Every structure is written in structure tokens, then in C-alpha cells.
Amino acid sequence: MDITQPVLPDHRFSELMQSAQAGDTDAYIQLLEKVTPRIRQIVRRHRTFLHPEDIEDLVQDILLSLHAVRATYDPGRPFMPWLLAIARNRLVDGARRYARGAAHEVCVENLAVTFADERANTVMNGLGDLPALEQAIGALPPIQRDAIRMLKLGEMSLKEAADAANTTVGALKVATHRAMASLRKMLVKKQ
Amino acid sequence: MNRETQQVILQLAQNARPVRPLRRPYVRAAVWVVISMIFVAGMVLIIPADHDLLRQFAERSFVIEQFAALATGIAAGLAAFVTVIPGGDRRWALLPLLPISLWLGSLAPSCFREFTRMGTQVFLVPHSLWCLPSIVLLGTVPALAMVVMLRRGAPLTPHLTAALGGLAAAGIGNIGVRFIHPEDVSVMLMVWHVGGVMLLCAFAGSAGRHFLNWRSIIGASENIAR
């Protein structure tokens, strides 16, 4: 299938985007739902070696980018070339980021997770209900869930997590704060 | 549809505020030129000129040189605004080459004459060291206006876009500097003024990714939505 041939005619995408620019939420949801399979197809075609979850991350990156620069769409011009230009640019950007990350990565096997001393391992007894915590984390909105996974579970620094999530340190802090408050509420309810 | 992606879509749509589509690049370039020229004209009026302006205007070479610098600024500004529109034709980035050629061409014959007459001694002619800082000073507001306007677009080619923006701002700043500083030696004009503008263009281009990147633009749009 030709990726430049959309499911809807181009003028229909233009109309939806025009409505989205005017603040029509339904039109915007419809537009994003229609373009997402197309974006996924483009990502798959260009990044055949990626895992499905990495492909989905890139698709979401492109959706965020489309959203951030939606004012650059000129309703008088075709929609698909505009979308494809963003998608291709984000793919190149992603590849550059990946290469930069890989260049600084150090592979370590069997990294020690704690100290050997017995006294250092006593805290392991009080972790609480792990399945409930996992479930509560899974119920968070994606941005908050990613923030918790990267900062609290993955122990990444704010800067590293912001780079990985392609967001700002401030936005990540807000997401973490909200996530912790939601988790607290959800876990207290379950007890 | 993947559940996470569906959630992203819903979150984006629910937080989306109405946006006004950006005006066409030539309209944005015109707005930027007006803002920049008002600032440069104001600075030229505030800073006293240490030479006869009327005499300068009577010189054809000066008028051609200033016209070429202005055309370079406008063309580079227009090209910069085109590069932040997804799907825009990248060939617009070549547009400033035409006025730059005119600018260099307006100085080249007299440079050649001075060089054949004076040899390398021409580089020892006394010259005001303030011209490069002056170009920076007069280019400040044009550069800031350019950054603010470019950040409303898509950072598709950050280095190229920033280089074009820097060329535009420095080109317009240079017009004002030529009104303030006397400079009769074409070689010095070529080295300090044209060279200075190109240096600032290269500097802006190398720093492009610092202020034109997806991370900050997505972050800014999330902050607005919040």
C-alpha cells in the first residue's frame, strides 16, 4: 500500500484539521485516530528492526509533535505532505537520539542490586502489596505512568528521564507529583 | 488501536486549545522586517552619526550596498520562515544567495582596485573595532523577534533555520551600522561588515538546536495546555 495514499481523501483531513485548529475536540480525536495507523505504517516501514513498543513510542512522539505545531498547518494546502514532513523529521531525530544514546551506553552484566551486608537488606521486608502497586501504576495516564517508571522504578535522573520522554524537567516533575498523589489515593482505597 | 496511544490521543484532544494558523511566510517576513526596521531606524536616530549622511546617500555604491544588505535580510528572513513550515519547499533556503551575490558584487570591484593599488597594506588601514559589536547590538531586537517567531513553527532544520535567521538579523543590523560608522575602504567593509554578518550567521546556525528543538517546543505546548 502506498503510504502517501490516505484512507480518507486529503480534503477531508484538511477539514478535520481546520476544525481541530478552531477547537473542535471531536474533529481532532477523529483526525488523530485516522492518521495514527498511517503514522504507524510509516514508522514500521522505516524502522523494521524496532520492537512494537518502540514503534508505538515513536508513533506517540509524532502525535505529540503534530499537536505542538498544529498551528503551522495552512488549511489552504494539502494535509498529507504536512504530516509526512513531521513524521519523517521525527524519525530522523529519533535515529539521531538513539545513536547518541547508544554511543554513551555501557553494558554491565549482573549489576549488584544491593549491598551484600545483611543489615542492608532488611528494608526488603516492608514493600507491601506489589501486584496492587503494579495495577495502580498501570491505571495512571501514560505521561504519569512513564514518569513513575523512569524516575521511581528506573531510578533515572530528571534530566535523563526528560530526554527519554522528550519533555521538560518541569513537566516531568508535575507528572510525577500528580502520579504519586493518584497512587497514594488508589492504594489507600484498596486497603 | 494501542491503548496507550489512544490515551495520548484523548489527552491531546481534551487539552487542545483553539490555535490560529500561522500566517503565510511572506506575511510573517514582512511583519518581522517592519519590527526590525523600526528598531534599527530608532537606534540610528539615537546614536549620533560621525559623518555626513547626505553625502553618503549621494554615492551610488553606498545605496547599492545598503539595498543589497536589506534584500539579504529580507530574503534570509523569508527563507527562515519557510523552513519552519512542514512540507515547505527547502529550495527557498537558496533565496538569499542572490542578494548576497549582489552585496559581494557591489564591493568586489573597489576591493580589487584597492588591493592592486595598496597590496597587503590595505589590511593595515585604521578601522573602528566597534563595527562587529555594533552589528550585534543593532541586530539584537531583530534576532529576538526572529527567535520568538521561529519558535512558533516546527524545528525541522534547526541549524539551517537559525543560520538564515542569524543572517537576516545581522544583515538588517549591518544596515544601521553603515549609517552610524564611516567606512570608505571596501576591503575593510568586506572583511568586517560582510565577514561579520557571515560570522554571526555561522554562530547562530551552530547554536540552532539550543532554541529550536522538538523537546522545548513540545514542552511549551504542554505548558500552555496545562
Coordinates of all heavy atoms in Angstrom, one line a residue, chain A residues 11-75:
Chain A
H11 N -8.7 16.3 1.3 CA -9.5 17.4 1.7 C -10.3 17.2 3.0 O -10.6 18.1 3.7 CB -10.4 17.9 0.5 CG -11.6 17.0 0.3 ND1 -12.8 17.1 0.9 CD2 -11.7 15.9 -0.6 CE1 -13.6 16.1 0.5 NE2 -13.0 15.4 -0.4
R12 N -10.6 15.9 3.2 CA -11.3 15.5 4.4 C -10.4 15.8 5.7 O -10.8 16.3 6.7 CB -11.8 14.1 4.3 CG -12.7 13.6 5.5 CD -14.1 14.2 5.5 NE -14.7 14.0 6.8 CZ -15.0 14.9 7.6 NH1 -14.8 16.2 7.4 NH2 -15.6 14.6 8.8
F13 N -9.1 15.4 5.5 CA -8.2 15.6 6.6 C -8.0 17.1 6.8 O -7.9 17.5 7.9 CB -6.8 15.0 6.2 CG -6.7 13.5 6.4 CD1 -6.5 12.7 5.3 CD2 -6.8 13.0 7.7 CE1 -6.4 11.3 5.5 CE2 -6.7 11.6 7.8 CZ -6.5 10.8 6.8
S14 N -8.0 17.8 5.7 CA -7.8 19.3 5.8 C -9.0 19.9 6.6 O -8.8 20.7 7.5 CB -7.8 20.0 4.4 OG -6.6 19.6 3.8
E15 N -10.2 19.4 6.3 CA -11.4 19.9 7.0 C -11.3 19.6 8.5 O -11.6 20.4 9.3 CB -12.7 19.3 6.4 CG -13.0 19.9 5.1 CD -14.0 19.0 4.3 OE1 -14.6 18.1 4.9 OE2 -14.2 19.3 3.1
L16 N -10.9 18.3 8.8 CA -10.8 17.9 10.2 C -9.8 18.8 10.9 O -10.0 19.2 12.1 CB -10.5 16.4 10.3 CG -11.6 15.4 10.0 CD1 -11.1 14.0 10.0 CD2 -12.8 15.5 11.0
M17 N -8.7 19.0 10.3 CA -7.6 19.8 10.9 C -8.0 21.2 11.1 O -7.7 21.8 12.2 CB -6.3 19.7 10.0 CG -5.1 20.3 10.7 SD -4.8 19.4 12.3 CE -3.3 20.2 12.8
Q18 N -8.7 21.7 10.2 CA -9.2 23.1 10.3 C -10.2 23.2 11.5 O -10.1 24.2 12.3 CB -10.0 23.5 9.0 CG -9.8 24.9 8.6 CD -10.4 25.1 7.2 OE1 -10.4 24.2 6.4 NE2 -10.8 26.3 7.0
S19 N -11.0 22.2 11.6 CA -12.0 22.2 12.8 C -11.2 22.0 14.1 O -11.5 22.7 15.1 CB -13.0 21.0 12.7 OG -13.7 21.1 11.5
A20 N -10.1 21.2 14.0 CA -9.3 21.0 15.2 C -8.6 22.3 15.6 O -8.5 22.6 16.8 CB -8.3 19.9 15.0
Q21 N -8.1 23.0 14.6 CA -7.4 24.3 14.9 C -8.4 25.3 15.6 O -8.1 26.1 16.4 CB -6.9 24.9 13.6 CG -5.6 24.2 13.1 CD -5.1 24.8 11.8 OE1 -5.9 25.2 11.0 NE2 -3.8 24.7 11.6
A22 N -9.7 25.1 15.2 CA -10.7 26.0 15.7 C -11.2 25.6 17.1 O -12.0 26.2 17.7 CB -11.9 26.1 14.8
G23 N -10.7 24.4 17.6 CA -11.0 24.0 18.9 C -12.0 22.9 19.0 O -12.5 22.6 20.1
D24 N -12.4 22.2 17.9 CA -13.4 21.1 17.9 C -12.7 19.8 18.3 O -11.9 19.2 17.6 CB -13.9 21.0 16.5 CG -15.0 19.9 16.3 OD1 -15.1 19.1 17.2 OD2 -15.8 20.0 15.4
T25 N -12.9 19.4 19.6 CA -12.3 18.2 20.2 C -12.6 17.0 19.4 O -11.8 16.1 19.1 CB -12.7 18.1 21.6 OG1 -12.5 19.3 22.3 CG2 -12.0 17.0 22.3
D26 N -13.9 16.8 19.0 CA -14.3 15.6 18.3 C -13.6 15.4 17.0 O -13.2 14.3 16.6 CB -15.8 15.6 18.1 CG -16.6 15.4 19.4 OD1 -16.0 14.9 20.4 OD2 -17.8 15.8 19.5
A27 N -13.5 16.6 16.3 CA -12.8 16.5 15.0 C -11.4 16.2 15.2 O -10.8 15.4 14.4 CB -13.0 17.9 14.3
Y28 N -10.8 16.7 16.2 CA -9.4 16.4 16.5 C -9.1 15.0 16.8 O -8.2 14.3 16.3 CB -8.9 17.3 17.6 CG -7.4 17.5 17.7 CD1 -6.6 17.4 16.6 CD2 -6.8 17.8 18.9 CE1 -5.2 17.6 16.7 CE2 -5.4 18.0 19.0 CZ -4.6 17.9 17.9 OH -3.3 18.1 18.0
I29 N -10.0 14.4 17.7 CA -9.9 13.0 18.0 C -10.0 12.1 16.7 O -9.2 11.2 16.5 CB -11.0 12.5 19.0 CG1 -10.7 13.2 20.4 CG2 -11.0 11.0 19.2 CD1 -11.7 13.0 21.4
Q30 N -11.0 12.5 15.9 CA -11.3 11.7 14.7 C -10.0 11.8 13.8 O -9.6 10.8 13.2 CB -12.5 12.3 14.0 CG -13.2 11.3 13.0 CD -14.3 12.0 12.2 OE1 -14.9 13.0 12.7 NE2 -14.6 11.5 11.1
L31 N -9.5 13.0 13.7 CA -8.3 13.2 12.8 C -7.1 12.4 13.3 O -6.5 11.6 12.6 CB -7.9 14.7 12.8 CG -6.6 15.0 12.1 CD1 -6.8 15.1 10.6 CD2 -5.9 16.3 12.6
L32 N -6.8 12.5 14.6 CA -5.7 11.7 15.2 C -5.9 10.2 15.1 O -4.9 9.5 14.8 CB -5.5 12.1 16.7 CG -5.0 13.6 16.9 CD1 -4.9 13.9 18.4 CD2 -3.8 13.9 16.2
E33 N -7.1 9.8 15.3 CA -7.4 8.3 15.1 C -7.2 7.9 13.7 O -6.8 6.7 13.4 CB -8.8 8.0 15.6 CG -8.9 8.0 17.1 CD -10.3 7.7 17.7 OE1 -11.2 7.8 16.9 OE2 -10.4 7.5 18.9
K34 N -7.6 8.7 12.7 CA -7.4 8.4 11.3 C -6.0 8.4 10.9 O -5.5 7.6 10.0 CB -8.2 9.3 10.4 CG -9.7 9.2 10.6 CD -10.3 8.0 9.9 CE -11.8 8.0 10.0 NZ -12.3 6.6 9.9
V35 N -5.2 9.3 11.4 CA -3.8 9.4 10.9 C -2.9 8.4 11.7 O -1.8 8.1 11.2 CB -3.2 10.8 11.0 CG1 -4.0 11.8 10.2 CG2 -3.1 11.3 12.5
T36 N -3.3 8.0 12.9 CA -2.4 7.1 13.7 C -2.0 5.8 12.9 O -0.8 5.5 12.9 CB -3.0 6.8 15.1 OG1 -3.1 8.1 15.7 CG2 -2.1 5.9 15.9
P37 N -2.9 5.1 12.4 CA -2.5 3.9 11.6 C -1.5 4.2 10.5 O -0.6 3.5 10.2 CB -3.8 3.3 11.1 CG -4.9 3.9 11.8 CD -4.4 5.3 12.3
R38 N -1.7 5.4 9.9 CA -0.9 5.8 8.8 C 0.6 6.1 9.3 O 1.6 5.7 8.7 CB -1.5 7.0 8.1 CG -0.8 7.5 6.9 CD -1.0 6.6 5.7 NE -2.3 6.0 5.6 CZ -2.6 5.1 4.8 NH1 -1.6 4.6 3.9 NH2 -3.8 4.5 4.7
I39 N 0.6 6.8 10.4 CA 1.9 7.1 11.0 C 2.6 5.8 11.5 O 3.8 5.6 11.2 CB 1.7 8.0 12.3 CG1 1.2 9.4 11.9 CG2 3.0 8.2 13.0 CD1 0.8 10.2 13.0
R40 N 1.8 4.9 12.0 CA 2.4 3.6 12.5 C 3.0 2.8 11.3 O 4.1 2.3 11.4 CB 1.3 2.7 13.2 CG 1.9 1.6 14.0 CD 0.8 0.8 14.7 NE 0.3 1.6 15.8 CZ -1.0 1.9 15.9 NH1 -1.9 1.6 15.0 NH2 -1.5 2.6 17.0
Q41 N 2.3 2.9 10.2 CA 2.7 2.2 9.0 C 4.1 2.8 8.5 O 5.0 2.1 8.1 CB 1.7 2.4 7.9 CG 1.7 1.4 6.8 CD 0.6 1.7 5.8 OE1 -0.3 2.6 6.0 NE2 0.6 0.9 4.7
I42 N 4.1 4.1 8.5 CA 5.4 4.8 8.1 C 6.5 4.4 9.0 O 7.6 4.1 8.6 CB 5.2 6.4 8.2 CG1 4.1 6.8 7.2 CG2 6.5 7.1 7.9 CD1 3.6 8.2 7.4
V43 N 6.3 4.4 10.3 CA 7.3 4.1 11.3 C 7.8 2.7 11.1 O 9.0 2.4 11.0 CB 6.8 4.3 12.8 CG1 7.9 3.9 13.7 CG2 6.5 5.8 13.0
R44 N 6.8 1.7 10.9 CA 7.2 0.3 10.7 C 8.0 0.2 9.5 O 9.0 -0.6 9.4 CB 5.9 -0.5 10.5 CG 5.4 -1.0 11.9 CD 4.5 -2.2 11.7 NE 3.6 -2.3 12.8 CZ 2.3 -2.2 12.8 NH1 1.6 -2.0 11.7 NH2 1.6 -2.3 13.9
R45 N 7.6 0.9 8.4 CA 8.4 0.7 7.1 C 9.8 1.2 7.3 O 10.7 0.7 6.7 CB 7.6 1.5 6.1 CG 8.3 1.4 4.7 CD 7.4 2.0 3.6 NE 6.2 1.1 3.4 CZ 5.5 1.1 2.3 NH1 5.7 2.0 1.4 NH2 4.5 0.3 2.1
H46 N 10.0 2.3 8.0 CA 11.3 2.9 8.1 C 12.2 2.3 9.3 O 13.4 2.4 9.3 CB 11.2 4.4 8.4 CG 10.9 5.1 7.1 ND1 9.6 5.3 6.7 CD2 11.6 5.7 6.2 CE1 9.5 6.0 5.6 NE2 10.7 6.2 5.2
R47 N 11.5 1.7 10.2 CA 12.2 1.1 11.4 C 11.8 -0.3 11.6 O 11.2 -0.7 12.6 CB 11.9 1.9 12.7 CG 12.3 3.4 12.6 CD 13.8 3.6 12.8 NE 14.2 5.0 12.7 CZ 14.5 5.6 11.6 NH1 14.5 5.0 10.4 NH2 14.9 6.9 11.6
T48 N 12.1 -1.2 10.6 CA 11.7 -2.6 10.6 C 12.3 -3.4 11.8 O 11.7 -4.4 12.2 CB 12.1 -3.3 9.3 OG1 13.4 -2.9 9.0 CG2 11.2 -2.9 8.2
F49 N 13.4 -2.9 12.3 CA 14.1 -3.6 13.4 C 13.6 -3.3 14.8 O 14.0 -4.0 15.7 CB 15.6 -3.3 13.3 CG 15.9 -1.8 13.4 CD1 16.0 -1.1 14.6 CD2 16.0 -1.1 12.2 CE1 16.2 0.2 14.6 CE2 16.2 0.3 12.2 CZ 16.3 1.0 13.4
L50 N 12.7 -2.4 14.9 CA 12.2 -2.0 16.2 C 11.1 -2.9 16.8 O 10.4 -3.5 16.1 CB 11.6 -0.5 16.2 CG 12.6 0.6 16.1 CD1 11.8 1.9 16.1 CD2 13.6 0.6 17.3
H51 N 11.1 -3.0 18.1 CA 10.0 -3.8 18.8 C 8.7 -3.0 18.7 O 8.8 -1.8 18.6 CB 10.4 -3.9 20.3 CG 11.6 -4.8 20.5 ND1 11.7 -6.1 20.2 CD2 12.9 -4.4 21.0 CE1 12.9 -6.5 20.5 NE2 13.6 -5.6 20.9
P52 N 7.6 -3.7 18.8 CA 6.3 -3.0 18.7 C 6.2 -1.8 19.7 O 5.6 -0.8 19.3 CB 5.3 -4.1 19.0 CG 6.0 -5.4 18.6 CD 7.4 -5.1 18.9
E53 N 6.7 -2.0 20.9 CA 6.5 -0.9 21.9 C 7.3 0.3 21.6 O 7.0 1.4 21.8 CB 6.8 -1.4 23.4 CG 8.2 -1.9 23.6 CD 8.3 -3.4 23.4 OE1 7.5 -4.0 22.6 OE2 9.2 -4.1 24.0
D54 N 8.5 0.0 20.9 CA 9.4 1.2 20.5 C 8.7 1.9 19.3 O 8.8 3.1 19.2 CB 10.8 0.7 20.1 CG 11.5 0.2 21.3 OD1 11.3 0.7 22.4 OD2 12.3 -0.8 21.1
I55 N 8.1 1.1 18.5 CA 7.3 1.7 17.3 C 6.2 2.6 17.9 O 6.0 3.7 17.4 CB 6.8 0.6 16.4 CG1 7.9 0.0 15.6 CG2 5.7 1.1 15.4 CD1 7.6 -1.1 14.7
E56 N 5.5 2.1 18.9 CA 4.4 2.8 19.5 C 4.9 4.1 20.1 O 4.3 5.1 20.1 CB 3.7 1.9 20.5 CG 2.2 2.1 20.5 CD 1.5 2.0 19.2 OE1 1.9 1.2 18.3 OE2 0.6 2.8 18.9
D57 N 6.1 4.0 20.7 CA 6.7 5.2 21.3 C 6.9 6.3 20.3 O 6.7 7.5 20.5 CB 8.1 4.9 22.0 CG 7.9 4.3 23.4 OD1 6.7 4.3 23.9 OD2 8.9 3.8 23.9
L58 N 7.5 5.9 19.1 CA 7.7 6.8 18.0 C 6.4 7.4 17.5 O 6.4 8.6 17.2 CB 8.5 6.1 16.9 CG 10.0 6.1 17.0 CD1 10.7 5.2 16.0 CD2 10.6 7.5 16.9
V59 N 5.4 6.5 17.4 CA 4.1 7.0 16.9 C 3.6 8.1 17.8 O 3.1 9.1 17.4 CB 3.1 5.8 16.8 CG1 1.7 6.3 16.6 CG2 3.5 4.8 15.8
Q60 N 3.7 7.8 19.1 CA 3.2 8.8 20.1 C 4.1 10.1 20.0 O 3.5 11.2 20.2 CB 3.3 8.3 21.5 CG 2.2 7.2 21.7 CD 2.4 6.4 23.0 OE1 3.2 6.8 23.9 NE2 1.8 5.2 23.1
D61 N 5.4 10.0 19.8 CA 6.3 11.1 19.6 C 5.8 12.0 18.5 O 5.7 13.2 18.6 CB 7.7 10.6 19.3 CG 8.6 10.8 20.4 OD1 8.2 11.2 21.5 OD2 9.8 10.5 20.2
I62 N 5.4 11.3 17.4 CA 5.0 12.1 16.2 C 3.6 12.7 16.4 O 3.4 13.9 16.0 CB 4.9 11.1 14.9 CG1 6.3 10.6 14.6 CG2 4.3 11.8 13.7 CD1 6.4 9.5 13.6
L63 N 2.8 12.0 17.2 CA 1.5 12.7 17.5 C 1.7 13.9 18.4 O 1.0 14.9 18.2 CB 0.6 11.7 18.3 CG 0.0 10.5 17.4 CD1 -0.7 9.5 18.3 CD2 -1.0 11.1 16.4
L64 N 2.6 13.8 19.4 CA 2.9 15.0 20.2 C 3.5 16.1 19.4 O 3.1 17.3 19.6 CB 3.9 14.6 21.3 CG 3.4 13.8 22.5 CD1 4.6 13.3 23.3 CD2 2.5 14.6 23.4
S65 N 4.3 15.8 18.4 CA 4.9 16.8 17.6 C 3.9 17.5 16.7 O 3.8 18.7 16.6 CB 6.0 16.2 16.7 OG 6.9 15.5 17.4
L66 N 3.0 16.6 16.1 CA 1.9 17.2 15.3 C 1.1 18.1 16.1 O 0.7 19.2 15.6 CB 1.1 16.0 14.8 CG -0.2 16.2 14.0 CD1 -0.5 14.9 13.2 CD2 -1.4 16.6 14.8
H67 N 0.8 17.8 17.3 CA 0.0 18.6 18.2 C 0.7 19.9 18.5 O 0.0 21.0 18.5 CB -0.3 17.8 19.5 CG -1.0 18.6 20.6 ND1 -2.4 18.9 20.5 CD2 -0.6 19.2 21.7 CE1 -2.7 19.6 21.5 NE2 -1.6 19.8 22.3
A68 N 2.0 19.8 18.8 CA 2.7 21.0 19.2 C 2.8 22.1 18.1 O 2.8 23.3 18.3 CB 4.1 20.6 19.7
V69 N 2.8 21.6 16.8 CA 3.0 22.5 15.7 C 1.7 22.6 14.8 O 1.8 22.9 13.6 CB 4.3 22.2 14.9 CG1 5.5 22.3 15.7 CG2 4.2 20.9 14.2
R70 N 0.6 22.3 15.4 CA -0.6 22.2 14.6 C -1.0 23.6 14.0 O -1.7 23.7 13.0 CB -1.8 21.6 15.3 CG -2.3 22.4 16.5 CD -3.2 21.6 17.4 NE -3.8 22.3 18.5 CZ -3.2 22.7 19.6 NH1 -1.9 22.3 19.8 NH2 -3.8 23.3 20.6
A71 N -0.5 24.7 14.6 CA -0.7 26.0 14.0 C 0.0 26.2 12.7 O -0.3 27.1 11.9 CB -0.3 27.1 15.0
T72 N 1.0 25.4 12.4 CA 1.8 25.5 11.2 C 1.0 25.0 9.9 O 1.5 25.2 8.8 CB 3.2 24.9 11.2 OG1 3.0 23.5 11.3 CG2 4.0 25.4 12.3
Y73 N -0.1 24.3 10.2 CA -0.8 23.7 9.1 C -1.7 24.8 8.4 O -2.4 25.5 9.1 CB -1.7 22.6 9.5 CG -2.6 22.1 8.3 CD1 -2.0 21.5 7.2 CD2 -3.9 22.3 8.3 CE1 -2.7 21.2 6.1 CE2 -4.7 22.0 7.2 CZ -4.0 21.4 6.1 OH -4.8 21.1 5.0
D74 N -1.5 25.0 7.2 CA -2.2 26.0 6.4 C -3.4 25.3 5.7 O -3.2 24.5 4.9 CB -1.2 26.6 5.4 CG -1.9 27.7 4.5 OD1 -3.2 27.8 4.5 OD2 -1.2 28.3 3.7
P75 N -4.6 25.7 6.2 CA -5.8 25.0 5.6 C -5.9 25.1 4.1 O -6.6 24.3 3.5 CB -7.0 25.7 6.2 CG -6.4 26.4 7.4 CD -5.0 26.7 7.1

